[in-house]
Amino acid sequence: DAGVIQSPRHEVTEMGQEVTLRCKPISGHDYLFWYRQTMMRGLELLIYFNNNVPIDDSGMPEDRFSAKMPNASFSTLKIQPSEPRDSAVYFCASSLSAEQFFGPGTRLTVL
Amino acid sequence: GENVEQHPSTLSVQEGDSAVIKCTYSDSASNYFPWYKQELGKRPQLIIDIRSNVGEKKDQRIAVTLNKTAKHFSLHITETQPEDSAVYFCAASMDTGGGNKLTFGTGTQLKVEL
């Protein structure tokens, strides 16, 4: 298995633009998590899904952030409009049991 | 909600020495405590975990201890090697078997010096 796949690996955009991050979980995993990592706030859980249904989005910082999981193989995290304070590494992770497997992350820079 | 505190934030040891990282948690309902290792520029990876029905778990040079009464748990690395240099994160959650909502500590930068 290729593991969790994320794209793009790096994204540089200008303030106000829409950003879409993509994730393909490990096949067969029924939980998918989106995390954000910054120096100031560490690793934060934004939202997680079970069988494509959002279970807990209490970590989503504000309405500018949205996440979808249209099928078991694909999820997106969208930021619209983006702001410089959204600059971070965004990780997607998936699990079937307790262990969460992280993707390589997307480094987002908002200028 | 859960709050996890982790100490120290940085730790420097000589190769061959032991390293200890400590975490405390606030929610007595938490019963699953994983440790993740993150090398520079890489993804976090699980290295060991413990559940509250055991007090200690070992895997080669790595061990984790849990004191549920005091709500703290620790990571012990013995005979440290340069490849152990990384950031280590503790986390806590209720173990639901799959969708564990992990709360992470702030991380410990471990540096193993030759």
Side-chain angles (χ1 to χ4, degrees), chain A:
Chain A
D1 199 317
V4 176
I5 298 172
Q6 291 186 247
S7 65
R9 295 292 307 277
H10 302 272
E11 177 82 27
V12 180
T13 191
E14 293 191 346
M15 183 174 64
Q17 296 298 305
E18 178 179 297
V19 175
T20 300
L21 312 181
R22 297 172 176 80
C23 175
K24 177 179 168 55
I26 294 172
S27 176
H29 284 191
D30 54 357
Y31 285 92
L32 183 139
F33 306 81
W34 282 101
Y35 290 92
R36 177 173 67 177
Q37 185 174 39
T38 62
M39 288 296 293
M40 291 297 295
R41 300 176 66 90
L43 261 170
E44 303 173 278
L45 176 65
L46 300 178
I47 185 172
Y48 74 97
F49 296 82
N50 176 222
N51 291 323
N52 315 337
V53 177
I55 301 301
D56 189 328
D57 65 354
S58 59
M60 295 286 262
E62 48 199 275
D63 292 345
R64 297 184 299 107
F65 286 69
S66 63
K68 294 181 179 179
M69 192 165 184
N71 57 62
S73 304
F74 184 64
S75 177
T76 60
L77 178 68
K78 185 178 294 186
I79 308 173
Q80 166 63 17
S82 58
E83 296 182 2
R85 60 193 168 120
D86 301 330
S87 297
V89 179
Y90 290 81
F91 287 103
C92 174
S94 70
S95 74
L96 182 60
S97 60
E99 180 175 0
Q100 294 182 21
F101 294 83
F102 283 73
T106 295
R107 182 173 295 278
L108 174 64
T109 303
V110 183
L111 303 174

Side-chain angles (χ1 to χ4, degrees), chain B residues 95-108:
Chain B
D95 187 3
T96 62
N100 290 347
K101 187 178 175 182
L102 297 177
T103 300
F104 283 88
T106 50
T108 297

